[in-house]
Short mmCIF file of all heavy atoms in Angstrom, two decimals:
data_model
loop_
_atom_site.label_atom_id
_atom_site.label_comp_id
_atom_site.label_asym_id
_atom_site.label_seq_id
_atom_site.Cartn_x
_atom_site.Cartn_y
_atom_site.Cartn_z
N LYS A 223 -10.79 -20.49 -11.91
CA LYS A 223 -11.43 -20.06 -13.19
C LYS A 223 -12.92 -20.49 -13.15
O LYS A 223 -13.86 -19.68 -13.52
CB LYS A 223 -10.74 -20.69 -14.39
CG LYS A 223 -11.33 -20.23 -15.73
CD LYS A 223 -10.53 -20.85 -16.89
CE LYS A 223 -11.08 -20.35 -18.22
NZ LYS A 223 -10.32 -20.90 -19.35
N ARG A 224 -13.16 -21.71 -12.67
CA ARG A 224 -14.54 -22.18 -12.55
C ARG A 224 -15.35 -21.30 -11.62
O ARG A 224 -16.51 -20.94 -11.86
CB ARG A 224 -14.62 -23.64 -12.13
CG ARG A 224 -14.09 -24.59 -13.24
CD ARG A 224 -14.49 -26.06 -12.88
NE ARG A 224 -13.84 -26.44 -11.57
CZ ARG A 224 -12.66 -27.05 -11.52
NH1 ARG A 224 -11.94 -27.23 -12.66
NH2 ARG A 224 -12.11 -27.39 -10.37
N ALA A 225 -14.74 -21.01 -10.46
CA ALA A 225 -15.42 -20.14 -9.46
C ALA A 225 -15.74 -18.80 -9.95
O ALA A 225 -16.83 -18.25 -9.77
CB ALA A 225 -14.58 -20.11 -8.18
N ASN A 226 -14.76 -18.22 -10.67
CA ASN A 226 -15.00 -16.81 -11.24
C ASN A 226 -16.09 -16.81 -12.29
O ASN A 226 -16.86 -15.88 -12.34
CB ASN A 226 -13.67 -16.26 -11.75
CG ASN A 226 -12.68 -15.96 -10.70
OD1 ASN A 226 -13.03 -15.77 -9.53
ND2 ASN A 226 -11.42 -15.84 -11.05
N SER A 227 -16.09 -17.92 -13.08
CA SER A 227 -17.14 -17.90 -14.13
C SER A 227 -18.54 -18.06 -13.59
O SER A 227 -19.49 -17.75 -14.24
CB SER A 227 -16.83 -19.03 -15.14
OG SER A 227 -16.91 -20.32 -14.46
N ALA A 228 -18.59 -18.61 -12.38
CA ALA A 228 -19.95 -18.79 -11.75
C ALA A 228 -20.46 -17.54 -11.11
O ALA A 228 -21.64 -17.49 -10.72
CB ALA A 228 -19.83 -19.89 -10.70
N VAL A 229 -19.63 -16.48 -11.01
CA VAL A 229 -20.08 -15.25 -10.37
C VAL A 229 -20.88 -14.39 -11.37
O VAL A 229 -20.43 -14.18 -12.47
CB VAL A 229 -18.87 -14.44 -9.88
CG1 VAL A 229 -19.32 -13.08 -9.34
CG2 VAL A 229 -18.10 -15.21 -8.79
N ASP A 230 -22.07 -14.05 -10.97
CA ASP A 230 -22.94 -13.18 -11.88
C ASP A 230 -22.58 -11.74 -11.51
O ASP A 230 -23.05 -11.20 -10.53
CB ASP A 230 -24.40 -13.45 -11.56
CG ASP A 230 -25.34 -12.75 -12.58
OD1 ASP A 230 -24.86 -11.67 -13.07
OD2 ASP A 230 -26.46 -13.21 -12.74
N LEU A 231 -21.72 -11.14 -12.36
CA LEU A 231 -21.26 -9.73 -12.02
C LEU A 231 -22.40 -8.74 -12.06
O LEU A 231 -22.45 -7.82 -11.28
CB LEU A 231 -20.19 -9.35 -13.02
CG LEU A 231 -18.89 -10.18 -12.97
CD1 LEU A 231 -17.90 -9.75 -13.99
CD2 LEU A 231 -18.29 -10.13 -11.57
N GLU A 232 -23.34 -8.94 -12.97
CA GLU A 232 -24.44 -7.98 -13.08
C GLU A 232 -25.32 -8.09 -11.84
O GLU A 232 -25.78 -7.10 -11.29
CB GLU A 232 -25.27 -8.22 -14.36
CG GLU A 232 -24.59 -7.85 -15.64
CD GLU A 232 -24.16 -6.42 -15.65
OE1 GLU A 232 -25.02 -5.54 -15.22
OE2 GLU A 232 -23.03 -6.07 -16.07
N GLN A 233 -25.59 -9.33 -11.36
CA GLN A 233 -26.40 -9.53 -10.20
C GLN A 233 -25.65 -8.97 -8.95
O GLN A 233 -26.28 -8.31 -8.07
CB GLN A 233 -26.66 -11.03 -9.93
CG GLN A 233 -27.58 -11.32 -8.76
CD GLN A 233 -28.92 -10.72 -8.95
OE1 GLN A 233 -29.56 -10.88 -9.98
NE2 GLN A 233 -29.44 -10.04 -7.90
N GLN A 234 -24.34 -9.16 -8.92
CA GLN A 234 -23.52 -8.64 -7.82
C GLN A 234 -23.63 -7.10 -7.78
O GLN A 234 -23.77 -6.55 -6.68
CB GLN A 234 -22.12 -9.13 -8.03
CG GLN A 234 -21.20 -8.87 -6.79
CD GLN A 234 -19.78 -9.37 -7.06
OE1 GLN A 234 -19.07 -8.82 -7.90
NE2 GLN A 234 -19.40 -10.45 -6.40
N LYS A 235 -23.56 -6.51 -8.96
CA LYS A 235 -23.62 -5.05 -9.00
C LYS A 235 -25.02 -4.53 -8.58
O LYS A 235 -25.13 -3.56 -7.83
CB LYS A 235 -23.30 -4.57 -10.43
CG LYS A 235 -23.33 -3.11 -10.58
CD LYS A 235 -23.00 -2.67 -12.00
CE LYS A 235 -23.01 -1.14 -12.16
NZ LYS A 235 -22.69 -0.77 -13.59
N ALA A 236 -26.03 -5.25 -9.04
CA ALA A 236 -27.41 -4.85 -8.67
C ALA A 236 -27.64 -5.01 -7.18
O ALA A 236 -28.28 -4.11 -6.57
CB ALA A 236 -28.42 -5.71 -9.43
N ASP A 237 -27.14 -6.05 -6.58
CA ASP A 237 -27.25 -6.26 -5.17
C ASP A 237 -26.60 -5.14 -4.38
O ASP A 237 -27.05 -4.64 -3.36
CB ASP A 237 -26.68 -7.60 -4.73
CG ASP A 237 -27.52 -8.78 -5.22
OD1 ASP A 237 -28.68 -8.58 -5.60
OD2 ASP A 237 -26.98 -9.92 -5.26
N TYR A 238 -25.46 -4.78 -4.84
CA TYR A 238 -24.69 -3.74 -4.21
C TYR A 238 -25.45 -2.40 -4.28
O TYR A 238 -25.56 -1.63 -3.29
CB TYR A 238 -23.33 -3.53 -4.82
CG TYR A 238 -22.55 -2.28 -4.39
CD1 TYR A 238 -22.14 -2.15 -3.07
CD2 TYR A 238 -22.28 -1.28 -5.29
CE1 TYR A 238 -21.49 -1.04 -2.67
CE2 TYR A 238 -21.61 -0.10 -4.85
CZ TYR A 238 -21.24 0.00 -3.57
OH TYR A 238 -20.55 1.11 -3.17
N GLU A 239 -25.98 -2.08 -5.46
CA GLU A 239 -26.78 -0.84 -5.62
C GLU A 239 -27.95 -0.79 -4.68
O GLU A 239 -28.29 0.29 -4.12
CB GLU A 239 -27.21 -0.65 -7.09
CG GLU A 239 -26.04 -0.44 -8.06
CD GLU A 239 -25.32 0.87 -7.82
OE1 GLU A 239 -25.94 1.75 -7.23
OE2 GLU A 239 -24.17 0.99 -8.29
N ARG A 240 -28.63 -1.91 -4.51
CA ARG A 240 -29.80 -1.96 -3.59
C ARG A 240 -29.34 -1.72 -2.20
O ARG A 240 -29.97 -1.03 -1.39
CB ARG A 240 -30.51 -3.28 -3.69
CG ARG A 240 -31.39 -3.36 -5.02
CD ARG A 240 -32.32 -4.58 -4.96
NE ARG A 240 -31.58 -5.83 -5.08
CZ ARG A 240 -31.30 -6.44 -6.22
NH1 ARG A 240 -31.75 -5.88 -7.35
NH2 ARG A 240 -30.58 -7.56 -6.29
N SER A 241 -28.23 -2.38 -1.80
CA SER A 241 -27.69 -2.22 -0.46
C SER A 241 -27.26 -0.78 -0.23
O SER A 241 -27.46 -0.21 0.89
CB SER A 241 -26.47 -3.16 -0.24
OG SER A 241 -26.85 -4.47 -0.35
N LEU A 242 -26.70 -0.13 -1.25
CA LEU A 242 -26.25 1.25 -1.13
C LEU A 242 -27.46 2.18 -0.94
O LEU A 242 -27.40 3.12 -0.15
CB LEU A 242 -25.42 1.61 -2.34
CG LEU A 242 -24.65 2.95 -2.29
CD1 LEU A 242 -23.61 2.87 -1.15
CD2 LEU A 242 -23.96 3.17 -3.61
N ALA A 243 -28.51 1.88 -1.63
CA ALA A 243 -29.74 2.74 -1.51
C ALA A 243 -30.30 2.60 -0.14
O ALA A 243 -30.76 3.64 0.46
CB ALA A 243 -30.76 2.32 -2.55
N ARG A 244 -30.32 1.37 0.42
CA ARG A 244 -30.84 1.18 1.80
C ARG A 244 -29.95 1.91 2.81
O ARG A 244 -30.39 2.49 3.80
CB ARG A 244 -30.91 -0.32 2.10
CG ARG A 244 -32.06 -1.02 1.38
CD ARG A 244 -32.28 -2.35 2.02
NE ARG A 244 -31.16 -3.30 1.82
CZ ARG A 244 -30.94 -4.07 0.79
NH1 ARG A 244 -31.84 -4.07 -0.22
NH2 ARG A 244 -29.87 -4.84 0.71
N TYR A 245 -28.65 1.81 2.54
CA TYR A 245 -27.68 2.52 3.42
C TYR A 245 -27.90 3.99 3.46
O TYR A 245 -27.94 4.64 4.57
CB TYR A 245 -26.28 2.19 2.98
CG TYR A 245 -25.22 3.17 3.49
CD1 TYR A 245 -24.75 3.11 4.79
CD2 TYR A 245 -24.70 4.18 2.67
CE1 TYR A 245 -23.85 4.05 5.29
CE2 TYR A 245 -23.76 5.06 3.15
CZ TYR A 245 -23.37 5.00 4.47
OH TYR A 245 -22.45 5.90 4.90
N ARG A 246 -28.08 4.59 2.31
CA ARG A 246 -28.27 6.06 2.25
C ARG A 246 -29.54 6.47 2.95
O ARG A 246 -29.55 7.50 3.71
CB ARG A 246 -28.35 6.52 0.80
CG ARG A 246 -26.95 6.46 0.10
CD ARG A 246 -27.04 6.64 -1.42
NE ARG A 246 -25.76 6.61 -2.03
CZ ARG A 246 -25.56 6.36 -3.28
NH1 ARG A 246 -26.62 6.01 -4.12
NH2 ARG A 246 -24.32 6.34 -3.81
N LYS A 247 -30.59 5.69 2.82
CA LYS A 247 -31.83 5.93 3.52
C LYS A 247 -31.64 5.87 5.05
O LYS A 247 -32.13 6.73 5.79
CB LYS A 247 -32.94 4.98 3.00
CG LYS A 247 -34.25 5.32 3.59
CD LYS A 247 -35.33 4.33 3.00
CE LYS A 247 -36.72 4.66 3.53
NZ LYS A 247 -37.73 3.77 2.90
N SER A 248 -30.97 4.79 5.48
CA SER A 248 -30.71 4.57 6.86
C SER A 248 -29.81 5.70 7.46
O SER A 248 -29.96 6.12 8.60
CB SER A 248 -30.10 3.25 7.11
OG SER A 248 -30.97 2.20 6.68
N LEU A 249 -28.86 6.11 6.65
CA LEU A 249 -27.93 7.16 7.09
C LEU A 249 -28.65 8.46 7.34
O LEU A 249 -28.42 9.15 8.33
CB LEU A 249 -26.81 7.35 6.04
CG LEU A 249 -25.73 8.39 6.32
CD1 LEU A 249 -24.95 7.97 7.57
CD2 LEU A 249 -24.82 8.54 5.14
N THR A 250 -29.54 8.78 6.43
CA THR A 250 -30.31 10.04 6.59
C THR A 250 -31.16 10.01 7.87
O THR A 250 -31.19 10.94 8.65
CB THR A 250 -31.20 10.29 5.37
OG1 THR A 250 -30.40 10.37 4.21
CG2 THR A 250 -32.07 11.56 5.53
N LYS A 251 -31.82 8.86 8.07
CA LYS A 251 -32.62 8.70 9.25
C LYS A 251 -31.79 8.72 10.53
O LYS A 251 -32.18 9.42 11.55
CB LYS A 251 -33.40 7.44 9.21
CG LYS A 251 -34.46 7.19 10.34
CD LYS A 251 -35.22 5.91 10.13
CE LYS A 251 -36.34 5.80 11.12
NZ LYS A 251 -35.84 5.86 12.51
N ALA A 252 -30.65 8.07 10.52
CA ALA A 252 -29.76 8.04 11.69
C ALA A 252 -29.25 9.38 12.09
O ALA A 252 -29.21 9.78 13.26
CB ALA A 252 -28.59 7.06 11.46
N LYS A 253 -28.92 10.19 11.09
CA LYS A 253 -28.43 11.55 11.37
C LYS A 253 -29.57 12.40 11.95
O LYS A 253 -29.33 13.21 12.88
CB LYS A 253 -27.93 12.19 10.05
CG LYS A 253 -26.56 11.68 9.60
CD LYS A 253 -26.12 12.33 8.33
CE LYS A 253 -24.77 11.84 7.87
NZ LYS A 253 -24.29 12.48 6.66
N ALA A 254 -30.76 12.21 11.39
CA ALA A 254 -31.93 13.00 11.92
C ALA A 254 -32.25 12.61 13.32
O ALA A 254 -32.65 13.43 14.19
CB ALA A 254 -33.13 12.79 11.04
N ASP A 255 -32.14 11.26 13.65
CA ASP A 255 -32.51 10.82 14.98
C ASP A 255 -31.37 10.94 15.99
O ASP A 255 -31.57 10.72 17.16
CB ASP A 255 -32.90 9.30 14.90
CG ASP A 255 -34.13 9.08 14.05
OD1 ASP A 255 -34.87 10.08 13.82
OD2 ASP A 255 -34.36 7.93 13.63
N GLY A 256 -30.15 11.17 15.47
CA GLY A 256 -29.01 11.21 16.41
C GLY A 256 -28.61 9.82 16.89
O GLY A 256 -27.90 9.66 17.81
N SER A 257 -28.95 8.80 16.08
CA SER A 257 -28.57 7.45 16.45
C SER A 257 -27.28 7.02 15.76
O SER A 257 -26.78 7.71 14.84
CB SER A 257 -29.73 6.49 16.04
OG SER A 257 -30.01 6.62 14.67
N PRO A 258 -26.67 5.93 16.18
CA PRO A 258 -25.42 5.49 15.51
C PRO A 258 -25.52 5.34 14.01
O PRO A 258 -26.59 4.85 13.52
CB PRO A 258 -25.16 4.14 16.20
CG PRO A 258 -25.84 4.20 17.53
CD PRO A 258 -27.08 5.01 17.28
N LEU A 259 -24.49 5.73 13.29
CA LEU A 259 -24.59 5.72 11.85
C LEU A 259 -24.38 4.24 11.30
O LEU A 259 -23.63 3.45 11.88
CB LEU A 259 -23.49 6.60 11.26
CG LEU A 259 -23.57 8.05 11.64
CD1 LEU A 259 -22.36 8.77 10.97
CD2 LEU A 259 -24.85 8.68 11.35
N PRO A 260 -25.12 3.88 10.32
CA PRO A 260 -24.99 2.54 9.77
C PRO A 260 -23.67 2.36 9.04
O PRO A 260 -22.97 3.31 8.65
CB PRO A 260 -26.16 2.41 8.76
CG PRO A 260 -26.41 3.79 8.36
CD PRO A 260 -26.09 4.69 9.53
N LYS A 261 -23.29 1.10 8.85
CA LYS A 261 -22.00 0.80 8.11
C LYS A 261 -22.28 0.78 6.65
O LYS A 261 -23.20 0.12 6.17
CB LYS A 261 -21.49 -0.53 8.56
CG LYS A 261 -20.10 -0.87 8.05
CD LYS A 261 -19.56 -2.17 8.65
CE LYS A 261 -18.18 -2.45 8.14
NZ LYS A 261 -17.63 -3.73 8.67
N LYS A 262 -21.45 1.46 5.91
CA LYS A 262 -21.61 1.54 4.47
C LYS A 262 -21.27 0.18 3.81
O LYS A 262 -20.25 -0.40 4.16
CB LYS A 262 -20.71 2.65 3.87
CG LYS A 262 -20.96 2.90 2.39
CD LYS A 262 -20.07 4.01 1.87
CE LYS A 262 -20.29 4.25 0.40
NZ LYS A 262 -19.47 5.40 -0.12
N PRO A 263 -22.09 -0.30 2.86
CA PRO A 263 -21.78 -1.53 2.22
C PRO A 263 -20.53 -1.38 1.39
O PRO A 263 -20.18 -0.30 0.88
CB PRO A 263 -23.00 -1.86 1.35
CG PRO A 263 -23.63 -0.50 1.17
CD PRO A 263 -23.38 0.28 2.41
N ARG A 264 -19.82 -2.49 1.19
CA ARG A 264 -18.58 -2.47 0.46
C ARG A 264 -18.74 -2.81 -1.02
O ARG A 264 -19.45 -3.83 -1.30
CB ARG A 264 -17.57 -3.37 1.11
CG ARG A 264 -17.32 -3.08 2.51
CD ARG A 264 -16.42 -4.11 3.21
NE ARG A 264 -15.01 -3.86 2.99
CZ ARG A 264 -14.03 -4.50 3.68
NH1 ARG A 264 -14.36 -5.48 4.49
NH2 ARG A 264 -12.77 -4.28 3.34
N ASP A 265 -18.27 -2.01 -1.87
CA ASP A 265 -18.37 -2.26 -3.34
C ASP A 265 -17.53 -3.54 -3.64
O ASP A 265 -16.30 -3.52 -3.42
CB ASP A 265 -17.84 -1.07 -4.12
CG ASP A 265 -18.00 -1.24 -5.60
OD1 ASP A 265 -18.17 -2.39 -6.07
OD2 ASP A 265 -17.98 -0.19 -6.29
N PRO A 266 -18.15 -4.58 -4.12
CA PRO A 266 -17.41 -5.80 -4.40
C PRO A 266 -16.29 -5.62 -5.41
O PRO A 266 -15.20 -6.30 -5.26
CB PRO A 266 -18.48 -6.82 -4.87
CG PRO A 266 -19.59 -5.93 -5.33
CD PRO A 266 -19.58 -4.72 -4.46
N SER A 267 -16.43 -4.79 -6.37
CA SER A 267 -15.36 -4.54 -7.34
C SER A 267 -14.22 -3.81 -6.69
O SER A 267 -13.04 -4.15 -6.96
CB SER A 267 -15.89 -3.77 -8.54
OG SER A 267 -16.34 -2.48 -8.16
N GLU A 268 -14.45 -2.89 -5.81
CA GLU A 268 -13.40 -2.14 -5.11
C GLU A 268 -12.72 -3.12 -4.13
O GLU A 268 -11.48 -3.03 -3.95
CB GLU A 268 -13.95 -0.93 -4.41
CG GLU A 268 -14.40 0.18 -5.34
CD GLU A 268 -14.92 1.39 -4.50
OE1 GLU A 268 -14.87 1.32 -3.28
OE2 GLU A 268 -15.35 2.36 -5.19
N LEU A 269 -13.49 -3.96 -3.51
CA LEU A 269 -12.91 -4.89 -2.54
C LEU A 269 -11.99 -5.89 -3.23
O LEU A 269 -10.85 -6.13 -2.81
CB LEU A 269 -13.99 -5.66 -1.81
CG LEU A 269 -13.59 -6.63 -0.73
CD1 LEU A 269 -12.86 -5.92 0.40
CD2 LEU A 269 -14.80 -7.41 -0.18
N ALA A 270 -12.42 -6.34 -4.44
CA ALA A 270 -11.54 -7.27 -5.18
C ALA A 270 -10.23 -6.56 -5.63
O ALA A 270 -9.18 -7.15 -5.57
CB ALA A 270 -12.30 -7.76 -6.41
N ALA A 271 -10.34 -5.24 -5.98
CA ALA A 271 -9.14 -4.55 -6.42
C ALA A 271 -8.23 -4.31 -5.25
O ALA A 271 -7.00 -4.37 -5.43
CB ALA A 271 -9.54 -3.19 -7.06
N ARG A 272 -8.75 -4.04 -4.06
CA ARG A 272 -7.95 -3.81 -2.91
C ARG A 272 -7.14 -5.05 -2.52
O ARG A 272 -5.95 -5.01 -2.15
CB ARG A 272 -8.81 -3.32 -1.71
CG ARG A 272 -7.98 -2.96 -0.49
CD ARG A 272 -8.87 -2.58 0.71
NE ARG A 272 -9.67 -3.67 1.22
CZ ARG A 272 -9.21 -4.53 2.12
NH1 ARG A 272 -7.97 -4.38 2.58
NH2 ARG A 272 -9.97 -5.49 2.55
N LYS A 273 -7.84 -6.21 -2.52
CA LYS A 273 -7.21 -7.41 -2.13
C LYS A 273 -6.24 -7.90 -3.21
O LYS A 273 -5.30 -8.65 -2.96
CB LYS A 273 -8.27 -8.48 -1.84
CG LYS A 273 -9.10 -8.16 -0.56
CD LYS A 273 -10.07 -9.29 -0.26
CE LYS A 273 -10.80 -9.07 0.98
NZ LYS A 273 -11.72 -10.13 1.31
N GLY A 274 -6.46 -7.50 -4.44
CA GLY A 274 -5.55 -7.85 -5.45
C GLY A 274 -5.95 -9.13 -6.17
O GLY A 274 -6.56 -10.03 -5.67
N ASN A 275 -5.57 -9.13 -7.51
CA ASN A 275 -5.81 -10.37 -8.26
C ASN A 275 -4.56 -11.23 -8.12
O ASN A 275 -3.74 -11.03 -7.22
CB ASN A 275 -6.08 -9.97 -9.73
CG ASN A 275 -4.98 -9.10 -10.30
OD1 ASN A 275 -3.90 -8.88 -9.69
ND2 ASN A 275 -5.25 -8.48 -11.42
N ILE A 276 -4.40 -12.28 -8.99
CA ILE A 276 -3.24 -13.13 -8.95
C ILE A 276 -1.96 -12.26 -9.12
O ILE A 276 -1.74 -11.70 -10.19
CB ILE A 276 -3.35 -14.20 -9.94
CG1 ILE A 276 -4.59 -15.06 -9.85
CG2 ILE A 276 -2.08 -15.11 -9.92
CD1 ILE A 276 -4.66 -15.79 -8.48
#
Side-chain angles (χ1 to χ4, degrees):
K223 184 177 181 180
R224 289 193 299 270
N226 290 341
S227 65
V229 175
D230 188 334
L231 297 178
E232 290 302 318
Q233 183 63 48
Q234 192 179 69
K235 181 179 179 181
D237 291 343
Y238 169 67
E239 292 295 339
R240 284 192 291 271
S241 297
L242 193 59
R244 289 193 296 269
Y245 159 77
R246 289 168 177 158
K247 186 176 180 179
S248 299
L249 181 64
T250 300
K251 186 176 186 302
K253 287 181 177 179
D255 297 343
S257 56
L259 302 181
K261 187 175 181 180
K262 186 177 181 180
R264 304 173 82 171
D265 184 339
S267 61
E268 290 182 0
L269 184 60
R272 182 181 71 84
K273 292 184 176 181
N275 52 14
I276 303 297

